[in-house]
Amino acid sequence: MGMDVEDKAASTVLVFYGYDQGVFGNVIISENFLDTFGHPSATLQGTMTSIYNIGCFIGAMSTLITGDKLGRPRQIILGSTIIAIGAIIQTASYGVPQMMVGRIVAGLGTGMNTATAGVWQAETSKMRSRGKLVIIQMANCITGFSISNWLTLGFSFAPKSVAWRFPLAFQIFFTLCIYALCPFLPDSPRLLIRKGKYTEATEVLAALEGHGATPDSPSVRAQFNVIKDILDREHVNTYSWWQLISGRGPSGVLRRMILGAWMQAMNQISGINVTSYYMSYIFINSLGISTLLARILAACGSVDYLIFACLAYFVIERFGRRKVMMCTIATGLSAKGGDSFVLGSVAVAFFFVFFASFGMGVLGVPWLYPTEINALELRTKGASLAMATNWIMNYAVVQATLPGISNLGYRFWIIWACICFAFIPITWLFYPETANRSLEDIDRFFETKPGIIVFNNKLATQLSRPQIFIEQDEQIADQLDKDSERIGDEEKGADQVIVEKFE
């Protein structure tokens, strides 16, 4: 039951994020909005949109300090509160500086939430469902994106500033949802073990196990021992940051952080947020489509995006992270390049194909991978750095889009096609598989000191769980049984001595 509620809380965060991604791009095409803010230039509109990502970057980086101290639920409550404050500032704006402040403040909260939700999800999920649960999260993200498109379409018929102020104010609704869920949820059991709160950790593990499990159940004790064993061997906290990034810490720490961060970078420089933020704007200003039809097409595009994001649920565990990432990028390349401005219908079709291919794989994997690949004791910091990379790349893409379209025309899209193509060999060469592995398995893999290039390493690329990891778990479970028997024998011996004394 607790697991179900945690899923809902983490998913609400992603609905929140998806809504924020889509709402402002539809707000800036409102005639009343443009009148209120003095018809800002394309460059200034791009800055008003992208400045949000600077706030997200700072918010994600802040969780390096606050993430473990506050714990997952309280960090998300804090982030959601800050977003609500940003929403109020935006809704009440009458000038560009005020709107930019509101965008930055909302971004701070979003950065905190997105750096925390994925880690919380990964650390409370079972090995075989971890990927599917993150895909559900990302489908919820696109649900939020779709809501923003349809809501702004509906309110485009509202009078005067209500057309854009209400969609901005609606962000507060999601904060209220977080308030209703998060205060009652337990923290990550792995974080609790790191903090030495062993009793609380075993209670959470038992709740997540379900099926009537208790803190004393063998399966719960075995899982506790596996996590604690990895933490004891890594002892990351005994190393300085300089030792970690210079390669003198536990095996592969820096490499794992880079893999996670670059996966998020690929997510952004694929060009997805060119379409997510500016689809309506592009339809109006590049394809000459009417404002109403552009809004309708953007809303329909978000549904296309959502459908294929949901379909990813059926492939993420079956085919693994590597294959899904490479195949969907290859499909997405068909929707890039060419003189897509010659025929508006062809251009619109290509937008829909790109959304579909991205939703099937590139959407979910970059959010899932950093929460899996990073060292157990550095998972929060690694995920924070990955999300910070996501947001700074997002800022660069969104900032460059409007000037790029104005100055380069169709050639702007060819740039994204070339970048996307480069991701296929990068994924094939350097990224180990994380599907069908426990988070502790991934730590064990890097203890073997694998080479940087992994495509020819069976332990790194096989889809099924490696037998060596299964055997290691069995050894820990056997040792637990032996320890329990020894303790039982000692207690019986002590009882016998007491009985003999009384006799």
Side-chain angles (χ1 to χ4, degrees):
M1 180 67 176
M3 182 62 174
D4 292 339
V5 178
E6 283 183 30
D7 290 342
K8 290 175 184 176
S11 293
T12 301
V13 169
L14 271 295
V15 175
F16 208 158
Y17 162 60
Y19 183 86
D20 287 351
Q21 289 285 92
V23 69
F24 202 74
N26 287 306
V27 160
I28 61 173
I29 63 173
S30 168
E31 194 61 38
N32 183 271
F33 177 91
L34 295 173
D35 290 341
T36 301
F37 292 91
H39 287 271
S41 65
T43 301
L44 185 54
Q45 287 183 51
T47 301
M48 289 172 67
T49 305
S50 63
I51 200 73
Y52 168 79
N53 297 297
I54 296 296
C56 293
F57 171 79
I58 297 170
M61 290 297 291
S62 73
T63 60
L64 288 169
I65 300 169
T66 62
D68 287 346
K69 290 180 180 178
L70 291 176
R72 314 306 184 226
R74 285 187 291 179
Q75 179 68 73
I76 287 176
I77 291 171
L78 174 62
S80 300
T81 302
I82 293 173
I83 295 174
I85 295 170
I88 293 169
I89 296 172
Q90 291 176 72
T91 304
S93 291
Y94 281 91
V96 171
Q98 185 182 357
M99 180 60 76
M100 286 191 173
V101 170
R103 296 284 290 162
I104 292 171
V105 172
L108 287 172
T110 302
M112 292 177 184
N113 283 358
T114 53
T116 304
V119 176
W120 195 20
Q121 179 83 74
E123 291 183 338
T124 54
S125 303
K126 289 184 172 63
M127 176 180 64
R128 297 192 183 280
S129 62
R130 192 171 60 240
K132 290 180 178 179
L133 288 172
V134 172
I135 291 301
I136 290 172
Q137 272 198 354
M138 298 318 299
N140 277 292
C141 173
I142 306 309
T143 299
F145 175 66
S146 187
I147 289 171
S148 72
N149 278 276
W150 287 103
L151 190 71
T152 50
L153 171 60
F155 271 84
S156 66
F157 299 100
K160 298 182 180 180
S161 66
V162 176
W164 60 270
R165 292 191 192 276
F166 183 88
L168 291 175
F170 192 71
Q171 296 171 86
I172 300 169
F173 169 76
F174 298 109
T175 295
L176 298 177
C177 293
I178 294 295
Y179 287 167
L181 292 171
C182 279
F184 311 103
L185 297 178
D187 214 327
S188 158
R190 289 168 171 84
L191 180 59
L192 293 171
I193 293 172
R194 284 177 51 198
K195 291 182 174 181
K197 298 179 179 180
Y198 300 145
T199 301
E200 191 176 345
T202 53
E203 289 173 353
V204 175
L205 285 171
L208 296 174
E209 184 72 21
H211 307 294
T214 69
D216 296 321
S217 297
S219 60
V220 173
R221 298 303 307 174
Q223 191 176 356
F224 175 89
N225 284 352
V226 168
I227 297 169
K228 191 171 184 303
D229 175 65
I230 294 293
L231 286 171
D232 290 344
R233 281 190 281 135
E234 285 182 347
H235 53 87
V236 173
N237 286 334
T238 63
Y239 295 90
S240 68
W241 267 103
W242 174 248
Q243 288 174 314
L244 291 173
I245 63 176
S246 61
R248 287 178 284 169
S251 299
V253 167
L254 178 60
R255 173 184 169 188
R256 294 162 77 175
M257 285 186 172
I258 291 172
L259 287 172
W262 185 247
M263 182 64 83
Q264 276 288 10
M266 290 193 289
N267 180 34
Q268 290 305 322
I269 59 177
S270 66
I272 183 58
N273 279 326
V274 173
T275 53
S276 294
Y277 278 85
Y278 293 124
M279 181 178 279
S280 297
Y281 181 95
I282 292 167
F283 287 165
I284 294 167
N285 294 281
S286 295
L287 303 181
I289 295 174
S290 69
T291 300
L292 178 59
L293 182 57
R295 287 185 183 275
I296 293 171
L297 288 171
C300 292
S302 70
V303 174
D304 166 59
Y305 197 2
L306 175 60
I307 290 170
F308 282 90
C310 292
L311 291 176
Y313 178 89
F314 301 101
V315 301
I316 191 68
E317 298 293 359
R318 177 174 295 183
F319 299 107
R321 317 310 187 230
R322 286 163 52 87
K323 289 181 181 177
V324 169
M325 187 75 176
M326 289 186 287
C327 291
T328 53
I329 288 172
T331 305
L333 285 173
S334 67
K336 295 273 189 176
D339 192 348
S340 59
F341 296 99
V342 174
L343 294 173
S345 58
V346 175
V348 171
F350 278 178
F351 272 110
F352 276 61
V353 172
F354 182 60
F355 266 153
S357 60
F358 192 92
M360 276 289 284
V362 190
L363 171 67
V365 174
W367 290 79
L368 172 61
Y369 202 85
T371 67
E372 297 178 318
I373 196 66
N374 279 292
L376 185 59
E377 198 159 349
L378 281 174
R379 188 156 289 120
T380 301
K381 292 180 173 62
S384 298
L385 289 172
M387 284 312 307
T389 303
N390 169 84
W391 290 117
I392 202 66
M393 291 293 184
N394 197 334
Y395 169 76
V397 169
V398 175
Q399 181 67 29
T401 295
L402 298 187
I405 291 172
S406 298
N407 297 322
L408 297 177
Y410 75 88
R411 291 180 292 274
F412 182 69
W413 305 104
I414 297 176
I415 295 172
W416 300 114
C418 294
I419 291 172
C420 284
F421 180 80
F423 298 160
I424 298 174
I426 289 171
T427 304
W428 183 64
L429 288 170
F430 303 115
Y431 278 82
E433 184 59 72
T434 57
N436 299 314
R437 288 153 175 81
S438 70
L439 298 179
E440 290 67 41
D441 288 346
I442 298 163
D443 289 307
R444 292 163 176 162
F445 168 73
F446 281 97
E447 286 178 355
T448 67
K449 300 187 184 330
I452 293 176
I453 295 175
V454 300
F455 76 94
N456 57 352
N457 183 334
K458 185 178 179 181
L459 196 64
T461 58
Q462 72 179 69
L463 187 55
S464 59
R465 190 184 186 197
Q467 184 62 31
I468 186 173
F469 298 150
I470 297 173
E471 293 171 355
Q472 287 174 336
D473 275 1
E474 291 173 347
Q475 290 172 4
I476 291 174
D478 290 342
Q479 185 61 48
L480 177 63
D481 291 340
K482 290 177 183 178
D483 291 344
S484 298
E485 290 176 5
R486 177 178 54 79
I487 292 170
D489 291 341
E490 290 175 354
E491 288 176 347
K492 287 179 181 177
D495 291 342
Q496 185 63 35
V497 169
I498 293 171
V499 169
E500 289 174 355
K501 283 183 178 181
F502 276 105
E503 290 177 346

